[in-house]
Amino acid sequence: MLSRPQLIQQIKQKKSFLCVGLDTDINKIPAFLKDYPDPVFEFNKRIIDATRDLCIAYKPNAAFYESRGVKGLQSLVATSEYLPKDCLSIIDAKRGDIGNTSAMYAAAFFDEQAAGMNFDAITVAPYMGIDSVTPFLAFEGKWVILLALTSSVGSKDFQYLNTDNGLLYEAVIQKANIWAGAGRMMFVVGATKSTEFTNIRKYAPDNFLLVPGIGAQGGSLEDVCKYGMTKDCGLIVNSSRAIIYASGGEDFAEAARAEALKVQQAMEIELGNAGVI
């Protein structure tokens, strides 16, 4: 596990709060990798080797692996084993079901003896409430990253509905912080919702926020930091396609590093401006 103090230490040491998303599509990786026994793992391995000193987290998206059946799960297990121990390992699975089912989902990604994977954190959908979240928190030291406010077009369908405790996404954050504090609970907040960060910080002043949408989705790192950064940084900003698919050739790992370095350098400036480093 990677604890909150260790995560903050990594941010200060690497001068980065970058998460590299391993949304690895076998149809998009360089053709020469198809000659390897496990092309997806070989791709991930080279991306990790090229970026591990520039980022503080990695986030495989479970769908890209599960869609390939047994072979995909083998790639995911191999990737999880290879992830650096000094980086937060996040499985982007967006699970959320009643207790017994959530307990099985939690075992799948947290119990190494059961399924071969030992991620530090998992994304969870909150729609079914406490029943769908506590089985993940039952694994000591593991993080739950709860969906709060997404960048999707459909976010307006439910996330902005009025409730007795404010907008629905506000109610989700307030309730979730009763279940676990800032040492175990994070929230997903889309980068394209950057002006909402000020409001979110009213309800989650100390929680880390996982922020997708930087890069290919057009989110602004500067705005995210302006409205969302805390004294401990409090942000994990994800970039997937813009980094891992920076090149489709044999130089893909070098190109990924170059893109990650650009983001890390921009993050170093933001961390300095905020007095975090």
mmCIF file with all atom_site columns, all heavy atoms in Angstrom, residues 251-271:
data_model
loop_
_atom_site.group_PDB
_atom_site.id
_atom_site.type_symbol
_atom_site.label_atom_id
_atom_site.label_alt_id
_atom_site.label_comp_id
_atom_site.label_asym_id
_atom_site.label_entity_id
_atom_site.label_seq_id
_atom_site.pdbx_PDB_ins_code
_atom_site.Cartn_x
_atom_site.Cartn_y
_atom_site.Cartn_z
_atom_site.occupancy
_atom_site.B_iso_or_equiv
_atom_site.pdbx_formal_charge
_atom_site.auth_seq_id
_atom_site.auth_comp_id
_atom_site.auth_asym_id
_atom_site.auth_atom_id
_atom_site.pdbx_PDB_model_num
ATOM 1   N N   . ASP A 1 251 ? 9.803  4.161  -31.429 1.00 0.00 ? 251 ASP A N   1
ATOM 2   C CA  . ASP A 1 251 ? 10.267 5.136  -30.432 1.00 0.00 ? 251 ASP A CA  1
ATOM 3   C C   . ASP A 1 251 ? 9.146  5.517  -29.464 1.00 0.00 ? 251 ASP A C   1
ATOM 4   O O   . ASP A 1 251 ? 9.219  6.538  -28.793 1.00 0.00 ? 251 ASP A O   1
ATOM 5   C CB  . ASP A 1 251 ? 10.788 6.389  -31.124 1.00 0.00 ? 251 ASP A CB  1
ATOM 6   C CG  . ASP A 1 251 ? 9.686  7.152  -31.856 1.00 0.00 ? 251 ASP A CG  1
ATOM 7   O OD1 . ASP A 1 251 ? 8.646  6.532  -32.180 1.00 0.00 ? 251 ASP A OD1 1
ATOM 8   O OD2 . ASP A 1 251 ? 9.849  8.360  -32.099 1.00 0.00 ? 251 ASP A OD2 1
ATOM 9   N N   . PHE A 1 252 ? 8.091  4.684  -29.365 1.00 0.00 ? 252 PHE A N   1
ATOM 10  C CA  . PHE A 1 252 ? 6.919  5.070  -28.579 1.00 0.00 ? 252 PHE A CA  1
ATOM 11  C C   . PHE A 1 252 ? 7.253  5.357  -27.125 1.00 0.00 ? 252 PHE A C   1
ATOM 12  O O   . PHE A 1 252 ? 6.679  6.262  -26.512 1.00 0.00 ? 252 PHE A O   1
ATOM 13  C CB  . PHE A 1 252 ? 5.822  4.000  -28.687 1.00 0.00 ? 252 PHE A CB  1
ATOM 14  C CG  . PHE A 1 252 ? 6.087  2.748  -27.882 1.00 0.00 ? 252 PHE A CG  1
ATOM 15  C CD1 . PHE A 1 252 ? 5.600  2.612  -26.590 1.00 0.00 ? 252 PHE A CD1 1
ATOM 16  C CD2 . PHE A 1 252 ? 6.824  1.698  -28.422 1.00 0.00 ? 252 PHE A CD2 1
ATOM 17  C CE1 . PHE A 1 252 ? 5.835  1.462  -25.852 1.00 0.00 ? 252 PHE A CE1 1
ATOM 18  C CE2 . PHE A 1 252 ? 7.059  0.549  -27.685 1.00 0.00 ? 252 PHE A CE2 1
ATOM 19  C CZ  . PHE A 1 252 ? 6.575  0.423  -26.397 1.00 0.00 ? 252 PHE A CZ  1
ATOM 20  N N   . ALA A 1 253 ? 8.174  4.589  -26.532 1.00 0.00 ? 253 ALA A N   1
ATOM 21  C CA  . ALA A 1 253 ? 8.520  4.801  -25.124 1.00 0.00 ? 253 ALA A CA  1
ATOM 22  C C   . ALA A 1 253 ? 9.257  6.122  -24.940 1.00 0.00 ? 253 ALA A C   1
ATOM 23  O O   . ALA A 1 253 ? 8.990  6.866  -23.982 1.00 0.00 ? 253 ALA A O   1
ATOM 24  C CB  . ALA A 1 253 ? 9.366  3.638  -24.611 1.00 0.00 ? 253 ALA A CB  1
ATOM 25  N N   . GLU A 1 254 ? 10.172 6.432  -25.847 1.00 0.00 ? 254 GLU A N   1
ATOM 26  C CA  . GLU A 1 254 ? 10.898 7.704  -25.774 1.00 0.00 ? 254 GLU A CA  1
ATOM 27  C C   . GLU A 1 254 ? 9.935  8.879  -25.958 1.00 0.00 ? 254 GLU A C   1
ATOM 28  O O   . GLU A 1 254 ? 10.045 9.904  -25.271 1.00 0.00 ? 254 GLU A O   1
ATOM 29  C CB  . GLU A 1 254 ? 11.994 7.757  -26.840 1.00 0.00 ? 254 GLU A CB  1
ATOM 30  C CG  . GLU A 1 254 ? 13.144 6.790  -26.616 1.00 0.00 ? 254 GLU A CG  1
ATOM 31  C CD  . GLU A 1 254 ? 12.872 5.373  -27.102 1.00 0.00 ? 254 GLU A CD  1
ATOM 32  O OE1 . GLU A 1 254 ? 11.739 5.111  -27.598 1.00 0.00 ? 254 GLU A OE1 1
ATOM 33  O OE2 . GLU A 1 254 ? 13.770 4.529  -26.998 1.00 0.00 ? 254 GLU A OE2 1
ATOM 34  N N   . ALA A 1 255 ? 8.988  8.728  -26.888 1.00 0.00 ? 255 ALA A N   1
ATOM 35  C CA  . ALA A 1 255 ? 7.998  9.783  -27.114 1.00 0.00 ? 255 ALA A CA  1
ATOM 36  C C   . ALA A 1 255 ? 7.097  9.953  -25.894 1.00 0.00 ? 255 ALA A C   1
ATOM 37  O O   . ALA A 1 255 ? 6.744  11.082 -25.517 1.00 0.00 ? 255 ALA A O   1
ATOM 38  C CB  . ALA A 1 255 ? 7.160  9.464  -28.348 1.00 0.00 ? 255 ALA A CB  1
ATOM 39  N N   . ALA A 1 256 ? 6.736  8.846  -25.261 1.00 0.00 ? 256 ALA A N   1
ATOM 40  C CA  . ALA A 1 256 ? 5.920  8.908  -24.048 1.00 0.00 ? 256 ALA A CA  1
ATOM 41  C C   . ALA A 1 256 ? 6.665  9.643  -22.946 1.00 0.00 ? 256 ALA A C   1
ATOM 42  O O   . ALA A 1 256 ? 6.087  10.463 -22.214 1.00 0.00 ? 256 ALA A O   1
ATOM 43  C CB  . ALA A 1 256 ? 5.546  7.498  -23.601 1.00 0.00 ? 256 ALA A CB  1
ATOM 44  N N   . ARG A 1 257 ? 7.937  9.353  -22.809 1.00 0.00 ? 257 ARG A N   1
ATOM 45  C CA  . ARG A 1 257 ? 8.740  10.038 -21.801 1.00 0.00 ? 257 ARG A CA  1
ATOM 46  C C   . ARG A 1 257 ? 8.787  11.547 -22.058 1.00 0.00 ? 257 ARG A C   1
ATOM 47  O O   . ARG A 1 257 ? 8.668  12.355 -21.136 1.00 0.00 ? 257 ARG A O   1
ATOM 48  C CB  . ARG A 1 257 ? 10.156 9.471  -21.746 1.00 0.00 ? 257 ARG A CB  1
ATOM 49  C CG  . ARG A 1 257 ? 11.023 10.200 -20.730 1.00 0.00 ? 257 ARG A CG  1
ATOM 50  C CD  . ARG A 1 257 ? 12.399 9.601  -20.516 1.00 0.00 ? 257 ARG A CD  1
ATOM 51  N NE  . ARG A 1 257 ? 13.128 10.409 -19.537 1.00 0.00 ? 257 ARG A NE  1
ATOM 52  C CZ  . ARG A 1 257 ? 12.962 10.318 -18.220 1.00 0.00 ? 257 ARG A CZ  1
ATOM 53  N NH1 . ARG A 1 257 ? 12.097 9.438  -17.723 1.00 0.00 ? 257 ARG A NH1 1
ATOM 54  N NH2 . ARG A 1 257 ? 13.650 11.094 -17.405 1.00 0.00 ? 257 ARG A NH2 1
ATOM 55  N N   . ALA A 1 258 ? 8.976  11.909 -23.325 1.00 0.00 ? 258 ALA A N   1
ATOM 56  C CA  . ALA A 1 258 ? 9.048  13.327 -23.668 1.00 0.00 ? 258 ALA A CA  1
ATOM 57  C C   . ALA A 1 258 ? 7.758  14.051 -23.295 1.00 0.00 ? 258 ALA A C   1
ATOM 58  O O   . ALA A 1 258 ? 7.789  15.170 -22.757 1.00 0.00 ? 258 ALA A O   1
ATOM 59  C CB  . ALA A 1 258 ? 9.349  13.487 -25.156 1.00 0.00 ? 258 ALA A CB  1
ATOM 60  N N   . GLU A 1 259 ? 6.619  13.425 -23.569 1.00 0.00 ? 259 GLU A N   1
ATOM 61  C CA  . GLU A 1 259 ? 5.333  14.027 -23.219 1.00 0.00 ? 259 GLU A CA  1
ATOM 62  C C   . GLU A 1 259 ? 5.148  14.093 -21.706 1.00 0.00 ? 259 GLU A C   1
ATOM 63  O O   . GLU A 1 259 ? 4.674  15.087 -21.165 1.00 0.00 ? 259 GLU A O   1
ATOM 64  C CB  . GLU A 1 259 ? 4.185  13.251 -23.857 1.00 0.00 ? 259 GLU A CB  1
ATOM 65  C CG  . GLU A 1 259 ? 4.074  13.426 -25.353 1.00 0.00 ? 259 GLU A CG  1
ATOM 66  C CD  . GLU A 1 259 ? 3.863  14.870 -25.765 1.00 0.00 ? 259 GLU A CD  1
ATOM 67  O OE1 . GLU A 1 259 ? 3.012  15.555 -25.134 1.00 0.00 ? 259 GLU A OE1 1
ATOM 68  O OE2 . GLU A 1 259 ? 4.542  15.322 -26.701 1.00 0.00 ? 259 GLU A OE2 1
ATOM 69  N N   . ALA A 1 260 ? 5.512  13.014 -21.011 1.00 0.00 ? 260 ALA A N   1
ATOM 70  C CA  . ALA A 1 260 ? 5.398  12.999 -19.551 1.00 0.00 ? 260 ALA A CA  1
ATOM 71  C C   . ALA A 1 260 ? 6.297  14.058 -18.928 1.00 0.00 ? 260 ALA A C   1
ATOM 72  O O   . ALA A 1 260 ? 5.928  14.696 -17.929 1.00 0.00 ? 260 ALA A O   1
ATOM 73  C CB  . ALA A 1 260 ? 5.752  11.615 -19.015 1.00 0.00 ? 260 ALA A CB  1
ATOM 74  N N   . LEU A 1 261 ? 7.472  14.246 -19.501 1.00 0.00 ? 261 LEU A N   1
ATOM 75  C CA  . LEU A 1 261 ? 8.407  15.245 -18.983 1.00 0.00 ? 261 LEU A CA  1
ATOM 76  C C   . LEU A 1 261 ? 7.822  16.650 -19.112 1.00 0.00 ? 261 LEU A C   1
ATOM 77  O O   . LEU A 1 261 ? 7.974  17.482 -18.203 1.00 0.00 ? 261 LEU A O   1
ATOM 78  C CB  . LEU A 1 261 ? 9.741  15.147 -19.715 1.00 0.00 ? 261 LEU A CB  1
ATOM 79  C CG  . LEU A 1 261 ? 10.839 16.119 -19.264 1.00 0.00 ? 261 LEU A CG  1
ATOM 80  C CD1 . LEU A 1 261 ? 11.183 15.913 -17.789 1.00 0.00 ? 261 LEU A CD1 1
ATOM 81  C CD2 . LEU A 1 261 ? 12.090 15.951 -20.133 1.00 0.00 ? 261 LEU A CD2 1
ATOM 82  N N   . LYS A 1 262 ? 7.153  16.932 -20.220 1.00 0.00 ? 262 LYS A N   1
ATOM 83  C CA  . LYS A 1 262 ? 6.510  18.242 -20.393 1.00 0.00 ? 262 LYS A CA  1
ATOM 84  C C   . LYS A 1 262 ? 5.490  18.490 -19.289 1.00 0.00 ? 262 LYS A C   1
ATOM 85  O O   . LYS A 1 262 ? 5.427  19.580 -18.706 1.00 0.00 ? 262 LYS A O   1
ATOM 86  C CB  . LYS A 1 262 ? 5.820  18.309 -21.760 1.00 0.00 ? 262 LYS A CB  1
ATOM 87  C CG  . LYS A 1 262 ? 6.740  18.365 -22.958 1.00 0.00 ? 262 LYS A CG  1
ATOM 88  C CD  . LYS A 1 262 ? 5.915  18.385 -24.242 1.00 0.00 ? 262 LYS A CD  1
ATOM 89  C CE  . LYS A 1 262 ? 6.776  18.250 -25.480 1.00 0.00 ? 262 LYS A CE  1
ATOM 90  N NZ  . LYS A 1 262 ? 5.949  18.194 -26.724 1.00 0.00 ? 262 LYS A NZ  1
ATOM 91  N N   . VAL A 1 263 ? 4.689  17.461 -19.012 1.00 0.00 ? 263 VAL A N   1
ATOM 92  C CA  . VAL A 1 263 ? 3.670  17.606 -17.974 1.00 0.00 ? 263 VAL A CA  1
ATOM 93  C C   . VAL A 1 263 ? 4.328  17.764 -16.610 1.00 0.00 ? 263 VAL A C   1
ATOM 94  O O   . VAL A 1 263 ? 3.932  18.618 -15.802 1.00 0.00 ? 263 VAL A O   1
ATOM 95  C CB  . VAL A 1 263 ? 2.709  16.399 -17.974 1.00 0.00 ? 263 VAL A CB  1
ATOM 96  C CG1 . VAL A 1 263 ? 1.676  16.549 -16.875 1.00 0.00 ? 263 VAL A CG1 1
ATOM 97  C CG2 . VAL A 1 263 ? 2.027  16.251 -19.326 1.00 0.00 ? 263 VAL A CG2 1
ATOM 98  N N   . GLN A 1 264 ? 5.338  16.949 -16.321 1.00 0.00 ? 264 GLN A N   1
ATOM 99  C CA  . GLN A 1 264 ? 6.034  17.029 -15.031 1.00 0.00 ? 264 GLN A CA  1
ATOM 100 C C   . GLN A 1 264 ? 6.653  18.410 -14.821 1.00 0.00 ? 264 GLN A C   1
ATOM 101 O O   . GLN A 1 264 ? 6.578  18.975 -13.719 1.00 0.00 ? 264 GLN A O   1
ATOM 102 C CB  . GLN A 1 264 ? 7.115  15.951 -14.960 1.00 0.00 ? 264 GLN A CB  1
ATOM 103 C CG  . GLN A 1 264 ? 7.873  15.894 -13.640 1.00 0.00 ? 264 GLN A CG  1
ATOM 104 C CD  . GLN A 1 264 ? 9.056  16.850 -13.585 1.00 0.00 ? 264 GLN A CD  1
ATOM 105 O OE1 . GLN A 1 264 ? 9.761  17.021 -14.583 1.00 0.00 ? 264 GLN A OE1 1
ATOM 106 N NE2 . GLN A 1 264 ? 9.281  17.477 -12.442 1.00 0.00 ? 264 GLN A NE2 1
ATOM 107 N N   . GLN A 1 265 ? 7.244  18.962 -15.852 1.00 0.00 ? 265 GLN A N   1
ATOM 108 C CA  . GLN A 1 265 ? 7.867  20.284 -15.731 1.00 0.00 ? 265 GLN A CA  1
ATOM 109 C C   . GLN A 1 265 ? 6.826  21.362 -15.455 1.00 0.00 ? 265 GLN A C   1
ATOM 110 O O   . GLN A 1 265 ? 7.069  22.281 -14.658 1.00 0.00 ? 265 GLN A O   1
ATOM 111 C CB  . GLN A 1 265 ? 8.669  20.597 -16.996 1.00 0.00 ? 265 GLN A CB  1
ATOM 112 C CG  . GLN A 1 265 ? 9.929  19.748 -17.131 1.00 0.00 ? 265 GLN A CG  1
ATOM 113 C CD  . GLN A 1 265 ? 10.637 19.926 -18.455 1.00 0.00 ? 265 GLN A CD  1
ATOM 114 O OE1 . GLN A 1 265 ? 10.038 20.329 -19.462 1.00 0.00 ? 265 GLN A OE1 1
ATOM 115 N NE2 . GLN A 1 265 ? 11.923 19.615 -18.494 1.00 0.00 ? 265 GLN A NE2 1
ATOM 116 N N   . ALA A 1 266 ? 5.669  21.241 -16.094 1.00 0.00 ? 266 ALA A N   1
ATOM 117 C CA  . ALA A 1 266 ? 4.589  22.189 -15.815 1.00 0.00 ? 266 ALA A CA  1
ATOM 118 C C   . ALA A 1 266 ? 4.070  22.016 -14.396 1.00 0.00 ? 266 ALA A C   1
ATOM 119 O O   . ALA A 1 266 ? 3.753  23.003 -13.707 1.00 0.00 ? 266 ALA A O   1
ATOM 120 C CB  . ALA A 1 266 ? 3.450  21.992 -16.829 1.00 0.00 ? 266 ALA A CB  1
ATOM 121 N N   . MET A 1 267 ? 4.012  20.769 -13.935 1.00 0.00 ? 267 MET A N   1
ATOM 122 C CA  . MET A 1 267 ? 3.559  20.503 -12.571 1.00 0.00 ? 267 MET A CA  1
ATOM 123 C C   . MET A 1 267 ? 4.546  21.035 -11.544 1.00 0.00 ? 267 MET A C   1
ATOM 124 O O   . MET A 1 267 ? 4.142  21.532 -10.479 1.00 0.00 ? 267 MET A O   1
ATOM 125 C CB  . MET A 1 267 ? 3.349  18.996 -12.377 1.00 0.00 ? 267 MET A CB  1
ATOM 126 C CG  . MET A 1 267 ? 2.127  18.462 -13.101 1.00 0.00 ? 267 MET A CG  1
ATOM 127 S SD  . MET A 1 267 ? 1.933  16.666 -12.891 1.00 0.00 ? 267 MET A SD  1
ATOM 128 C CE  . MET A 1 267 ? 0.264  16.440 -13.541 1.00 0.00 ? 267 MET A CE  1
ATOM 129 N N   . GLU A 1 268 ? 5.816  20.933 -11.835 1.00 0.00 ? 268 GLU A N   1
ATOM 130 C CA  . GLU A 1 268 ? 6.832  21.452 -10.921 1.00 0.00 ? 268 GLU A CA  1
ATOM 131 C C   . GLU A 1 268 ? 6.637  22.950 -10.704 1.00 0.00 ? 268 GLU A C   1
ATOM 132 O O   . GLU A 1 268 ? 6.757  23.447 -9.576  1.00 0.00 ? 268 GLU A O   1
ATOM 133 C CB  . GLU A 1 268 ? 8.225  21.182 -11.481 1.00 0.00 ? 268 GLU A CB  1
ATOM 134 C CG  . GLU A 1 268 ? 9.347  21.633 -10.563 1.00 0.00 ? 268 GLU A CG  1
ATOM 135 C CD  . GLU A 1 268 ? 10.724 21.220 -11.055 1.00 0.00 ? 268 GLU A CD  1
ATOM 136 O OE1 . GLU A 1 268 ? 10.825 20.466 -12.040 1.00 0.00 ? 268 GLU A OE1 1
ATOM 137 O OE2 . GLU A 1 268 ? 11.717 21.664 -10.431 1.00 0.00 ? 268 GLU A OE2 1
ATOM 138 N N   . ILE A 1 269 ? 6.320  23.670 -11.757 1.00 0.00 ? 269 ILE A N   1
ATOM 139 C CA  . ILE A 1 269 ? 6.065  25.112 -11.648 1.00 0.00 ? 269 ILE A CA  1
ATOM 140 C C   . ILE A 1 269 ? 4.843  25.359 -10.757 1.00 0.00 ? 269 ILE A C   1
ATOM 141 O O   . ILE A 1 269 ? 4.876  26.221 -9.861  1.00 0.00 ? 269 ILE A O   1
ATOM 142 C CB  . ILE A 1 269 ? 5.854  25.731 -13.038 1.00 0.00 ? 269 ILE A CB  1
ATOM 143 C CG1 . ILE A 1 269 ? 7.157  25.680 -13.841 1.00 0.00 ? 269 ILE A CG1 1
ATOM 144 C CG2 . ILE A 1 269 ? 5.341  27.161 -12.932 1.00 0.00 ? 269 ILE A CG2 1
ATOM 145 C CD1 . ILE A 1 269 ? 7.005  26.056 -15.295 1.00 0.00 ? 269 ILE A CD1 1
ATOM 146 N N   . GLU A 1 270 ? 3.780  24.595 -10.983 1.00 0.00 ? 270 GLU A N   1
ATOM 147 C CA  . GLU A 1 270 ? 2.557  24.784 -10.190 1.00 0.00 ? 270 GLU A CA  1
ATOM 148 C C   . GLU A 1 270 ? 2.791  24.447 -8.712  1.00 0.00 ? 270 GLU A C   1
ATOM 149 O O   . GLU A 1 270 ? 2.294  25.146 -7.828  1.00 0.00 ? 270 GLU A O   1
ATOM 150 C CB  . GLU A 1 270 ? 1.428  23.914 -10.747 1.00 0.00 ? 270 GLU A CB  1
ATOM 151 C CG  . GLU A 1 270 ? 0.996  24.256 -12.166 1.00 0.00 ? 270 GLU A CG  1
ATOM 152 C CD  . GLU A 1 270 ? 0.356  25.637 -12.276 1.00 0.00 ? 270 GLU A CD  1
ATOM 153 O OE1 . GLU A 1 270 ? -0.098 26.163 -11.248 1.00 0.00 ? 270 GLU A OE1 1
ATOM 154 O OE2 . GLU A 1 270 ? 0.331  26.163 -13.411 1.00 0.00 ? 270 GLU A OE2 1
ATOM 155 N N   . LEU A 1 271 ? 3.551  23.399 -8.446  1.00 0.00 ? 271 LEU A N   1
ATOM 156 C CA  . LEU A 1 271 ? 3.852  23.020 -7.059  1.00 0.00 ? 271 LEU A CA  1
ATOM 157 C C   . LEU A 1 271 ? 4.683  24.114 -6.378  1.00 0.00 ? 271 LEU A C   1
ATOM 158 O O   . LEU A 1 271 ? 4.494  24.411 -5.196  1.00 0.00 ? 271 LEU A O   1
ATOM 159 C CB  . LEU A 1 271 ? 4.596  21.692 -7.021  1.00 0.00 ? 271 LEU A CB  1
ATOM 160 C CG  . LEU A 1 271 ? 3.768  20.449 -7.367  1.00 0.00 ? 271 LEU A CG  1
ATOM 161 C CD1 . LEU A 1 271 ? 4.688  19.249 -7.620  1.00 0.00 ? 271 LEU A CD1 1
ATOM 162 C CD2 . LEU A 1 271 ? 2.765  20.128 -6.270  1.00 0.00 ? 271 LEU A CD2 1
#
